[in-house]
Amino acid sequence: MKGREFKDAMYDGLAKLLKALSNPFRLEIIEMLSQGEKSVEGIVQSTNLTIANASQHLQILKNNNIVKSRKEKQYVYYSLVSDDFLSLYQHVIKYAVHEIAELEKIMNRQREDNKSLNAVNLDELETMIGNENILLLDVRPSVEFEFGHITGAVSIPMNELMTHLKDFSKDKEIIAYCRGPFCVLADEAVKVLSEKGYKVRRLDEGYPEWKMKQLESN
Amino acid sequence: MKGREFKDAMYDGLAKLLKALSNPFRLEIIEMLSQGEKSVEGIVQSTNLTIANASQHLQILKNNNIVKSRKEKQYVYYSLVSDDFLSLYQHVIKYAVHEIAELEKIMNRQREDNKSLNAVNLDELETMIGNENILLLDVRPSVEFEFGHITGAVSIPMNELMTHLKDFSKDKEIIAYCRGPFCVLADEAVKVLSEKGYKVRRLDEGYPEWKMKQLESN
DNA sequence: CAAGTATTCAAGAATATTCTTGAATACTTG
DNA sequence: CAAGTATTCAAGAATATTCTTGAATACTTG
């Protein structure tokens, strides 16, 4: 193989991977799967996709070694292929959110609207661990909590939050988190709780970022 | 802004960035620019692109905040927008080369052909610094060497290598490097030199990877 | 300022991506 | 095994990307 052919083969392969990533719905699917495996139907429920279209996107992700699938009963469950990929995906997000002015602006506006501008980051969270006056609140669906969560967190899915208000003390500071920086559940939780007079902030990132950080520090 | 709108805006923005990266020629341009700034003509010289097409690709990279340009005399010089971007790009390459079996295979075949399979990595290189019996050889064009190079390296551009053979001792081990893992100059150097009976290996990565590693360790 | 050089622009053909629709397939369960 | 459910497949319309071609623009330099 000549030098030019080799280079072309490598760049073509690299471009193919990036092409597989360069679609908003596929990115959303990746974010869903970073919470744990999901069936096609499970993915469809939290996106605007039709089943057939979601399946097509999943095939593309699968052919590019981004997700893998297993079959159980009638269901096909998809999941991310490795933590190495998750780490890459999070690097992309982190870059986009901090270095692309346009995205940073959209994010800040969203957080302003939800009174969650004053977010806690993972480093700060670490200093709060074991603090009696902090309540770490996971507002993702309970399946996702069960699949994995930040140590010490309490699970109250967003749609059950209103019925559990009595469980919170107004003396404690509540830190709400969900799937990651793009996840709006934590923003909604902050909005609702702060309007009721609770001390509440959101975590800047989510469970997958915390998980990767744990892995790296070992 | 509602949750769905916010999510869509974020994923659209992210997909836009990845779309800008998902073309083999644009990736090659990025690799060129990771060696230092280049004019449009400079980029065209080492790719198969026409000037107009290279310019179009550069506009896409510029509109997506990947490269920036400055004008001097008749020339427009392009360069990467930040080291944060370079770090992201290298993460993508590293993932692709190690986790995508197809690319790993192509790479290994290329290195076999050039007798450069037994490559040195950056960590090993570090242990060799100051060793009298090692010659670190930069085979990139001299402009790129001048723009930045690994500390202690000697510059002999690939096309001048044959006329400088007498400068090398067969007792020393030669480590050749160039632009990065996809760069074939170092492979060619290993091939030529090993056929002449020199002890020679290539560096797994290239100057930009070394540079980022220096930045990270500070 | 005329001639030369580097770069960008604009339009259009060729190709690739995306989504929708209506089957087809591969299961499970009574 | 019949009926029901989850997922994939195949084809085609709508849209986006890529490259080529032939100007146009913005410089520099004698």
Side-chain angles (χ1 to χ4, degrees):
Chain A
M1 177 144 54
K2 282 282 171 52
R4 185 74 248 170
E5 283 168 51
F6 164 68
K7 268 173 134 174
D8 286 348
M10 293 306 277
Y11 287 121
D12 283 356
L14 207 49
K16 210 164 144 276
L17 169 70
L18 289 161
K19 208 160 255 171
L21 292 176
S22 70
N23 172 287
F25 296 116
R26 290 200 288 272
L27 292 170
E28 193 175 357
I29 289 174
I30 288 168
E31 182 122 320
M32 290 297 307
L33 297 183
S34 69
Q35 312 303 317
E37 66 171 19
K38 292 248 186 318
S39 67
V40 182
E41 216 191 348
I43 288 162
V44 164
Q45 276 168 10
S46 45
T47 59
N48 282 335
L49 296 168
T50 62
I51 290 247
N53 196 11
S55 176
Q56 279 173 321
H57 282 305
L58 284 162
Q59 298 316 306
I60 291 171
L61 292 173
K62 195 177 174 184
N63 291 337
N64 284 280
N65 244 284
I66 296 165
V67 308
K68 57 184 194 289
S69 66
R70 70 181 181 85
K71 190 152 196 181
E72 191 183 310
K73 301 204 174 171
Q74 306 110 300
Y75 305 93
V76 179
Y77 292 94
Y78 284 90
S79 56
L80 293 187
V81 90
S82 74
D83 283 342
D84 285 328
F85 174 76
L86 184 53
S87 153
L88 177 65
Y89 173 69
Q90 290 177 355
H91 196 157
V92 173
I93 291 198
K94 207 165 186 171
Y95 176 80
V97 166
H98 289 106
E99 305 295 326
I100 300 180
E102 197 194 326
L103 290 185
E104 206 178 5
K105 216 165 69 186
I106 294 171
M107 187 144 203
N108 284 340
R109 196 165 46 210
Q110 160 76 5
R111 299 230 167 137
E112 254 168 54
D113 287 358
N114 288 281
K115 305 170 187 178
S116 56
L117 206 53
N118 183 18
V120 176
N121 66 38
L122 283 173
D123 291 328
E124 292 175 84
L125 183 68
E126 212 159 315
T127 68
M128 295 171 172
I129 280 174
N131 185 332
E132 284 287 315
N133 294 313
I134 302 278
L135 174 71
L136 185 59
L137 179 65
D138 187 322
V139 292
R140 295 175 300 160
S142 50
V143 226
E144 293 177 14
F145 180 86
E146 278 151 31
F147 201 87
H149 55 263
I150 302 182
T151 312
V154 167
S155 170
I156 303 182
M158 191 53 213
N159 55 359
E160 297 171 23
L161 192 59
M162 292 313 281
T163 61
H164 282 75
L165 282 182
K166 60 187 177 314
D167 296 0
F168 303 130
S169 151
K170 294 206 177 176
D171 300 329
K172 285 199 180 189
E173 179 171 21
I174 302 167
I175 313 283
Y177 77 88
C178 51
R179 291 167 179 153
F182 296 178
C183 177
V184 295
L185 298 172
D187 290 325
E188 286 166 28
V190 169
K191 188 169 191 179
V192 167
L193 291 172
S194 71
E195 279 166 0
K196 295 281 177 191
Y198 292 89
K199 280 187 289 183
V200 56
R201 295 155 77 190
R202 74 162 279 166
L203 188 66
D204 222 351
E205 328 225 25
Y207 166 68
E209 288 81 9
W210 176 83
K211 180 181 128 192
M212 289 314 292
K213 210 180 163 216
Q214 296 299 105
L215 282 179
E216 274 160 30
S217 64
N218 289 339
Chain B
M1 181 146 54
K2 281 283 170 50
R4 186 74 250 171
E5 284 168 49
F6 164 70
K7 266 174 137 173
D8 286 347
M10 293 307 275
Y11 288 121
D12 283 355
L14 207 49
K16 212 164 143 274
L17 169 70
L18 289 160
K19 208 160 255 171
L21 291 176
S22 71
N23 172 287
F25 296 115
R26 289 200 288 272
L27 292 169
E28 193 175 357
I29 289 173
I30 288 167
E31 182 123 319
M32 291 299 305
L33 296 183
S34 69
Q35 313 302 316
E37 66 171 18
K38 291 249 189 313
S39 66
V40 182
E41 216 190 350
I43 287 163
V44 165
Q45 275 169 13
S46 43
T47 59
N48 282 336
L49 296 169
T50 61
I51 289 246
N53 196 12
S55 175
Q56 278 173 322
H57 282 306
L58 284 162
Q59 299 316 306
I60 291 171
L61 292 173
K62 197 177 170 184
N63 290 336
N64 284 279
N65 244 284
I66 295 165
V67 307
K68 59 181 190 289
S69 66
R70 70 180 180 87
K71 190 151 195 183
E72 189 183 310
K73 300 201 175 175
Q74 304 109 302
Y75 305 94
V76 179
Y77 292 95
Y78 284 88
S79 56
L80 294 186
V81 89
S82 74
D83 283 341
D84 285 327
F85 175 76
L86 184 53
S87 153
L88 176 63
Y89 173 70
Q90 289 177 356
H91 196 157
V92 174
I93 292 198
K94 206 163 188 173
Y95 176 80
V97 166
H98 290 106
E99 306 296 328
I100 301 180
E102 197 194 326
L103 290 185
E104 204 176 8
K105 217 165 66 188
I106 294 172
M107 187 143 203
N108 284 340
R109 196 165 49 208
Q110 159 77 3
R111 299 233 166 138
E112 255 167 53
D113 287 357
N114 288 281
K115 304 168 185 179
S116 54
L117 207 51
N118 182 16
V120 177
N121 65 38
L122 282 174
D123 290 329
E124 293 174 83
L125 183 69
E126 212 159 314
T127 67
M128 295 170 171
I129 278 174
N131 184 332
E132 284 287 315
N133 293 314
I134 303 278
L135 175 71
L136 185 58
L137 180 64
D138 187 322
V139 293
R140 294 174 302 160
S142 48
V143 226
E144 294 177 12
F145 180 86
E146 279 151 30
F147 201 86
H149 55 264
I150 301 183
T151 311
V154 167
S155 169
I156 304 181
M158 192 52 212
N159 55 358
E160 296 169 23
L161 190 61
M162 293 313 282
T163 62
H164 282 76
L165 282 182
K166 60 185 180 315
D167 297 1
F168 303 131
S169 151
K170 293 205 176 174
D171 300 330
K172 287 197 178 188
E173 180 170 22
I174 301 167
I175 313 283
Y177 77 87
C178 52
R179 291 169 179 151
F182 296 178
C183 177
V184 295
L185 298 171
D187 291 326
E188 287 167 27
V190 169
K191 187 169 194 178
V192 166
L193 291 172
S194 73
E195 278 165 1
K196 295 282 177 188
Y198 293 89
K199 281 186 289 184
V200 57
R201 294 157 79 191
R202 75 161 279 166
L203 188 66
D204 224 350
E205 327 224 26
Y207 166 68
E209 287 81 7
W210 176 83
K211 181 182 126 192
M212 288 314 291
K213 208 177 166 220
Q214 296 299 106
L215 281 180
E216 274 161 29
S217 64
N218 288 339

